[in-house]
Each structure stands twice: as C-alpha cells, then as structure tokens.
Amino acid sequence: MTAAFDETAARPGRERGFRRPARSAEAAGNVHAGHGGRRLATGIAVAAGFLAAGHLVHALIQAPVFPPGTGSWPAWILLATLGVAAAIAVVASGFAVPTWLLAGALVGLAAVVALDVSATAGRLHLGITPTAAVAAAAALLPIAAMRRTRTPLVAACAVGVVLAVEALWQPDAGRALVLGLAIAASAVLPMVLGVTAIEGFRRLVRREVDLSLVQSTVTTPESAVGMRASEELVNLDRDAEDLLEDVGSGRVAIPLPPEASELAGELAARLRVRLIEGRTDTWLRHAVTESAYLSGHVTVDDPTGLAAQLTATQREGLLLVLWMLVGARPRRATARVVVQITADDGDDDPRPEGLRVVVTVSDVQPRHLDPAIWEAVGTVGSHRTFAASDGFGIEIDGRIEPHHRVPNAPPQGARHRGA
C-alpha cells in the first residue's frame, strides 16, 4: 500500500525524480497505509463485491435459457475460489498485494475469462452473455486500490476487448449485439471510474501529507538541520568511522595509500561543505527541499539564513503562501522566494527589527489566486504587490520582535555557556 507514495514515481512537471528523505517517506507511507489507504481499499472491495453479486444474479436469470451443459458455473466456482484465496493471502501479507500475488491473480482471472467466454460463445442470439468474466474485471478494483492502477486498468481493458470481439464475431446475434457490447463496456467502465477516484484520492492525500510534514519545519530551531541533511551527516559519520577503524586495526597502513587518502579527502570536503551550508540551512530551505510539491518549483535566496528570525506565526504564514502559490498547481507555477533583511533604523545591526520578504511568481496572475492567500500574507507583515515580466510579485515587510527567540532554541546565555 505504500507503493502509492513512492516519491520517485513518475509525476508531472519537476516533481519527477524527487526522493523524499527516508524518515519522511516512512511517515507518509504510514499515514496512507494506516488511515486512508486501507479504508479506500475496503470501500473499493465492498463496491467490487456488489458488482460481482449483480453479475451473479444475471447469471442466475439467464440460467433457464442456457443450453444443456455446465454453462458458466465452472468459471464462477474458480472466481469464488480465487477470491477467497486472494483475501487470505492479502491478510497474511499485511494488507498488501505482493508481486507474486498479483501475477497469480492475473493468471487465475484470465482462466476465469477463458472458461466463461468458451461457455457463452455463439449464444448471444439467445440473450446469453458472459457474466463471470465481467465479475473478474470488477475483482481487479481492490488490487488497483492497494497497488498502482496501471496493471489492473490494462487487465480490465483487455477483458473488455475480449468480450467485445466475442460479441462482434457472432453474425447471427442481430439486435443482441448491442447487449454484448454493453456487457463488454461494463467490464471496463467500473475500472475507469474506480481508477479516477483512486488517483484523485491519492493526489489529495499526497498533498495533505506533504503539507503536514512540511509544516513540521515551522518549529525548527535556528541551528537544526533538516531530515535530508541529518541523513547525509549519518552517512558521513559511518564512512569516517569505517575508515578510522581500518586504520586503527592495521588493515590500512600509514601513510595512507592513494585510494584511502582520496577517500579521506572526499569525506573532509563533504563535511566542510555540510558545515558551511548548515549555517544558512533554515526552516525555509528544509521546507522547500523536503517537499515533493515545493521542491523544484520554489527557489530560496537566503544566503545569511535570515528566515530563521521569523516567528512561528510568520513562518506558517509564509509557508502557506508558498503552498497556495505552488502546491495547488505544480504543473504551472514556479515561484522564486528572495529573503532580505532591512534595518528600520538604518544601522548595521546583524539582527535588525525588520525583515523584507520578496516573493516573485511566474505563470500565475493575481486574479487566479485564492483570496485566502492574502490573509496568510498578512500574518507575515504588511505587503504590496508589483508587476513582473511573466507574473507578479509580493513584497512583505515583516517586523521581528526585539526579544524574539526561535522556537525550541536554547537561550543565548546557554549557547555561550555551552561554547
């Protein structure tokens, strides 16, 4: 079920190739699997059950006019057996559909379609149509809810094509040909509607989960690193420990051989880069780089890390501004955020009372914005708009409280004592 939240999956625009930090991706997957995903799959399974029951009733209705023989019942028995086995396997797999289970289900459903088509072929003029085959296409709906929708959709379309071809190859069907084509369409239409609903639900959940994860950066202390940076530091620490252990155990001689020396230099360079970047890696950079919807669409120009001086309310307001500008329309908007400090008294105080935020937006016009965006802008400070070459800009003057301290950050005295 967490496959729906694979951040490396193909997405429109610049989100293609985005990889969420491991802890963030795990949290997003847990939210989807524990809340929305299972409930969606359960609802889809119930709907598929009702559809299958309807086709079973259809099979019972046309049974009296069926010529002597076994009819479609072997297909129905196989379909019921597959349904019970698949339900047991899904529960045993932790409410997931492994690849082996998907492959087995497709083979089994193909056998159901073959049995049903062979039993009903040439009998359309009697009003006899496939039933178990259409129910088999409906049985693919829960799989689409628990995995990616492409394979179930293709399989359902294949069933529809087989049923349509069977109907068209019966020249004596007469007016019953319309009924045969309608049955073929009924094998595809529920899947198309289901896939539309599933994809819409997943997009909604992805946006909401992404926004919730990004909002957690609002309370980030000034000196904290983001999840992506912390994972990089963990990898650096592990590589450095491995190298030191090799030297200490004698596996690597001193002076270091060229390969080990090159590795040590690379680790040192990466650590220096991380330490330098860490001084300006504010909550705003973390929010942008760790968001699937903001990353690649928002550029932060904050060379001295001044965004850390914003209060929690101002941070949340600025984040919502970016989200409403970009997160709701990732295919169109590309926002560039420039954060600049201006001192009210004109001195060179490194922590002035005023902070100017300039948000320049391209491919979006102010008349297309949600009116709620201006309320979010107002929480950051007084603002004014200006025209840009391919869009518009918002210039915000935010006032910083004189004794403002970043949320969860230690007091200044504690920092000096720690030093």
Side-chain angles (χ1 to χ4, degrees), residues 132-196:
V134 188
L140 293 167
L141 281 169
I143 298 178
M146 289 186 286
R147 289 180 63 98
R148 296 184 181 178
T149 56
R150 180 179 304 173
T151 300
L153 179 60
V154 171
C157 291
V159 173
V161 170
V162 170
L163 298 183
V165 170
E166 180 203 14
L168 292 173
W169 278 2
Q170 300 186 42
D172 58 343
R175 295 181 179 179
L177 177 62
V178 177
L179 175 61
L181 294 178
I183 292 297
S186 67
V188 180
L189 183 59
M191 179 60 71
V192 172
L193 296 177
V195 167
T196 302

Side-chain angles (χ1 to χ4, degrees), residues 6 48 58 114 252 273 291 368 385 396 405 409 412 416:
D6 183 5
H58 184 198
V252 176
V273 170
S291 169
H368 297 152
T385 61
I396 310 172
R405 181 169 59 87
Q412 295 295 327
H416 291 304

